[in-house]
């Protein structure tokens, strides 16, 4: 097919302002090709400025007959629907898909090379096959196919591919039957290409919940809810800690008894801008209650006395702690919006009624299993688990197959891992966390960020 050549007026009318062209990734152009690339870019810019072709050729040494073609390449659309821009001017860069034009020659099964483009040639000849394979990869329903396996593998897709070609009468001396592996390598590449071209759908229909949740992150779109000042919004969530603890209780008869627990809960309230922990609580039950949530909110506004440290050699870092302990102005401050995990909805009725009415805050319910809505909370829980709880000799690990301590129950009793000591370690950890600089807050600590604002 002859290449369509457009007039200069048509090209200039199609070209968006050069300031809006895609940015060129750093160091994408090799040193050997940089000089030619720069001359091409300069030629296109002068062409867009309506300068004479003779002047452009003299200034850039780019032949006048090829300048329009260079701009036409820049205006081609990429797979994301945006123009290629100056990326199209990189020497030897491919700007369109490969199309085989060479004749297919006879080859023995052990021969290698000379097979480029044959899969696409076959799919062009049998468009129904291309549609069928894509439907299987992306789990799209079609006539006679509305039930799909969870994630079809290239091997299974290759079986479908071979069966279809057999039914169409492709002969043994034709591709892919004249090759040793019957084109399975091409099918593997085809699967990856289709998934890249339909990235979002591929993730949604083939991957797990965590991968699907990641689709909402890093899209380039600003959040509908933007918070700029401290205490505009807080995040509220709970995290279960799996480890064995020996908890010491005093009975009404003044006897001390040890009760062994295999799960604790950590509830935290974190300020969204500074990422400071405002309040927290450790719950000694297998499940939390609405009262536990209410206690944490109450402690954030009307804080109790600071926990005393009785472990020898352990003390609070200097100028570290909860915001109200270090910054007097933070004491008693309420917030405007609270982000709640959807999994806590059955417990948060009291928050939705009494607390909201008394404090005048709004509630934002996050969907269940969507970590990105409470990313600061999730990051802190991951960090405190790795830095503190999963280091205990009585830990049960992050899952049944990873990190479980040997004889964890016996260790909890033998070493007397007391819950009150865990609380003291956690108090020190939270205080240090609030005083540690963070890249997400421009290398200020959460406490320093509150002071700045």
């Amino acid at each position: 097919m002859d290449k369509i050549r457009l007039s200069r007026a048509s090209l200039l009318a199609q070209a968006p302002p050069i300031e809006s062209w895609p940015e060129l990734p750093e160091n994408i152009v090799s040193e050997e090709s940089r000089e030619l690339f720069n001359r091409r870019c300069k030629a296109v810019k002068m062409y867009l400025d309506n300068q004479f072709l003779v002047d452009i050729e003299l200034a850039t040494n780019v032949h006048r007959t090829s300048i329009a073609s260079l701009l036409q390449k820049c205006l081609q659309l990429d797979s994301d629907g945006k123009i290629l821009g100056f990326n199209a001017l990189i020497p030897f860069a491919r700007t369109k898909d490969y199309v085989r034009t060479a004749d297919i020659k006879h080859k023995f099964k052990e021969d290698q090379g000379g097979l480029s483009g044959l899969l696409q040639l076959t799919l062009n000849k049998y468009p129904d096959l291309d549609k069928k394979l894509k439907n299987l990869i992306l789990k799209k329903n079609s006539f006679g196919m509305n039930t799909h396996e969870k994630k079809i593998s290239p091997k299974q897709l290759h079986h479908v591919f071979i069966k279809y070609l057999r039914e169409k009468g492709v002969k043994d001396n034709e591709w892919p039957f004249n090759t040793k592996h019957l084109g399975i390598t091409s099918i593997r590449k085809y699967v990856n290409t289709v998934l890249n071209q339909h990235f979002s759908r591929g993730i949604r229909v083939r991957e797990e919940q965590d991968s699907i949740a990641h689709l909402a992150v890093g899209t380039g779109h600003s959040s509908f809810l933007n918070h700029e000042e401290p205490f505009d919004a807080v995040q509220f969530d709970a995290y279960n800690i799996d480890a064995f603890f020996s908890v010491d209780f005093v009975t009404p008869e003044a006897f001390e008894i040890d009760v062994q627990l295999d799960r604790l809960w950590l509830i935290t309230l974190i300020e969204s801008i500074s990422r400071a922990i405002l309040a927290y609580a450790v719950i000694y039950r297998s499940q939390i209650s609405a009262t536990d949530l209410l206690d944490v909110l109450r402690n954030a506004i009307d804080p109790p006395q600071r926990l005393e440290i009785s472990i020898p050699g352990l003390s609070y870092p200097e100028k570290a702690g909860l915001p109200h302990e270090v910054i007097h102005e933070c004491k008693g401050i309420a917030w405007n919006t609270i982000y709640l995990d959807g999994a806590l909805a059955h417990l948060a009725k009291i928050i939705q009624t009494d607390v909201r009415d008394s404090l005048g805050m709004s509630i934002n319910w996050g969907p269940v299993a969507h970590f990105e809505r409470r990313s600061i909370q999730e990051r802190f829980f991951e960090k405190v688990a790795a830095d503190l709880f999963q280091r205990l000799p009585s830990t049960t690990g992050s899952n049944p197959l990873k990190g479980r301590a040997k004889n964890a129950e016996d260790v909890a009793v033998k070493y007397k891992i007391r819950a009150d000591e865990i609380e003291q370690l956690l108090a020190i950890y939270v205080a240090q966390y609030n005083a540690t600089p963070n890249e997400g807050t421009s290398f200020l600590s959460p406490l320093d960020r509150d002071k700045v604002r």
Side-chain angles (χ1 to χ4, degrees):
M1 181 182 294
D2 293 334
K3 185 176 181 179
I4 299 176
R5 294 189 177 275
L6 301 177
S7 66
R8 184 170 191 172
S10 299
L11 288 173
L12 294 181
Q14 291 182 17
I18 201 168
E19 296 80 12
S20 65
W21 286 24
E23 293 185 4
L24 195 69
E26 189 176 355
N27 298 327
I28 193 173
V29 183
S30 65
E31 291 297 330
E32 297 80 9
S33 303
R34 187 171 299 278
E35 190 267 338
L36 174 58
F37 171 76
N38 290 337
R39 287 193 289 109
R40 289 178 174 179
C41 291
K42 183 177 180 179
V44 169
K45 290 177 181 178
M46 294 178 68
Y47 189 83
L48 290 171
D49 288 338
N50 258 324
Q51 298 190 34
F52 293 113
L53 294 178
V54 175
D55 295 337
I56 299 175
E57 183 175 358
L58 289 174
T60 64
N61 200 27
V62 175
H63 199 276
R64 69 188 73 176
T65 59
S66 62
I67 299 173
S69 298
L70 292 177
L71 177 57
Q72 198 166 349
K73 290 177 67 175
C74 292
L75 299 181
Q76 291 180 13
L77 297 182
D78 201 355
S79 58
D80 59 1
K82 299 179 181 179
I83 64 170
L84 290 172
F86 291 120
N87 293 282
L89 303 183
I90 299 174
F92 312 111
R94 187 181 297 278
T95 59
K96 58 182 180 180
D97 294 335
Y98 171 76
V99 177
R100 184 184 179 93
T101 57
D103 294 334
I104 303 174
K105 299 179 180 180
H106 172 72
K107 297 181 70 67
F108 294 101
K109 286 193 173 184
E110 299 292 341
D111 289 346
Q112 297 181 0
L115 303 177
S116 298
L118 286 180
L119 174 61
Q120 190 58 51
L121 202 66
T122 303
L123 296 179
N124 292 341
K125 183 177 180 180
Y126 303 106
D128 288 346
L129 175 59
D130 187 29
K131 184 177 180 181
K132 183 175 184 178
L133 296 180
K134 288 180 178 178
N135 286 345
L136 289 173
I137 296 171
L138 301 174
K139 299 172 73 169
K140 291 184 177 181
N141 293 337
S142 59
F143 180 75
M145 174 58 70
N146 55 15
T147 303
H148 299 270
E149 59 181 281
K150 183 179 183 299
K151 184 191 298 187
I152 191 168
S153 66
K155 180 179 178 180
Q156 296 302 321
L157 196 72
H158 182 251
H159 290 327
V160 176
F161 174 72
I162 293 299
K163 181 180 178 181
Y164 181 96
L165 295 181
R166 286 294 189 192
E167 292 174 351
K168 291 296 180 179
V170 177
K171 300 178 181 179
D172 289 342
N173 62 348
E174 297 179 300
W175 191 88
F177 300 111
N178 60 350
T179 63
K180 182 177 180 180
H181 301 292
L182 305 181
I184 191 170
T185 301
S186 298
I187 292 295
R188 289 196 186 100
K189 294 179 180 178
Y190 174 79
V191 171
N192 291 332
T193 300
V194 171
L195 290 176
N196 288 334
Q197 291 174 344
H198 304 82
F199 181 78
S200 294
R201 180 174 177 86
I203 293 293
R204 294 186 186 282
V205 300
R206 293 169 62 93
E207 303 302 334
E208 305 300 333
Q209 187 64 41
D210 286 350
S211 299
I212 296 173
H214 271 288
L215 285 176
V217 180
T219 61
H221 301 292
S222 299
S223 173
F224 287 113
L225 297 176
N226 291 315
H227 306 287
E228 299 179 353
E229 297 293 333
F231 293 91
D232 271 354
V234 294
Q235 297 184 10
F236 199 27
D237 207 350
Y239 173 75
N240 61 284
I241 302 160
D242 289 323
F244 290 102
F245 303 91
S246 179
V247 184
D248 189 15
F249 289 100
V250 179
T251 69
E253 295 80 15
F255 292 108
E256 291 188 0
I257 60 172
D258 281 337
V259 176
Q260 200 169 71
L261 301 175
D262 58 3
R263 168 173 288 187
L264 302 180
W265 281 86
L266 174 61
I267 305 175
T268 56
L269 185 72
I270 300 182
E271 200 277 310
S272 295
I273 298 299
S274 67
R275 307 188 179 192
I277 299 175
L278 305 180
Y280 66 94
V282 179
I283 308 302
Y284 299 100
R285 291 191 302 274
S286 59
Q287 293 296 330
I288 58 176
S289 67
T291 304
D292 299 325
L293 302 179
L294 186 59
D295 288 342
V296 175
L297 295 178
R298 184 184 296 112
N299 290 341
I301 298 175
D302 185 18
Q305 293 294 322
R306 181 184 244 190
L307 181 67
E308 293 186 4
I309 305 300
S310 61
I311 300 177
L314 198 64
S315 61
Y316 288 104
E318 185 178 356
K319 296 182 180 180
L322 298 175
H324 71 267
E325 296 171 346
V326 180
I327 308 171
H328 178 73
E329 292 80 5
C330 289
K331 188 172 183 179
I333 296 181
W335 45 87
N336 297 326
T337 304
I338 184 170
Y339 285 80
L340 285 172
D341 186 358
L344 300 178
H346 65 294
L347 299 175
K349 184 178 180 181
I350 191 171
I351 298 176
Q352 192 171 352
T353 54
D354 299 346
V355 177
R356 181 177 63 178
D357 293 341
S358 60
L359 296 180
M361 64 181 179
S362 61
I363 297 178
N364 184 281
W365 292 103
V368 178
H370 277 260
F371 69 91
E372 73 279 1
R373 293 297 297 273
R374 299 165 308 282
S375 58
I376 302 173
Q377 285 277 10
E378 297 295 335
R379 180 70 183 94
F380 173 74
F381 288 149
E382 178 183 342
K383 184 174 176 60
V384 74
D387 291 348
L388 182 59
F389 293 106
Q390 290 175 8
R391 296 176 61 189
L392 295 173
S394 61
T395 181
T396 58
S398 58
N399 62 65
L401 301 178
K402 182 179 180 181
R404 183 181 177 91
K406 186 177 181 180
N407 301 323
E409 295 179 75
D410 297 335
V411 168
V413 176
K414 177 181 178 181
Y415 293 108
K416 297 295 182 182
I417 300 173
R418 301 293 187 179
D420 62 327
E421 295 173 347
I422 295 299
E423 286 190 34
Q424 294 180 44
L425 290 173
L426 182 60
I428 300 297
Y429 185 88
V430 169
Q432 190 169 4
Y433 170 88
N434 280 344
T436 301
N438 188 297
E439 184 177 359
T441 54
S442 301
F443 294 98
L444 295 173
S445 71
L447 292 175
D448 288 338
R449 181 64 184 270
D450 281 337
K451 292 176 183 177
V452 169
R453 305 301 292 188

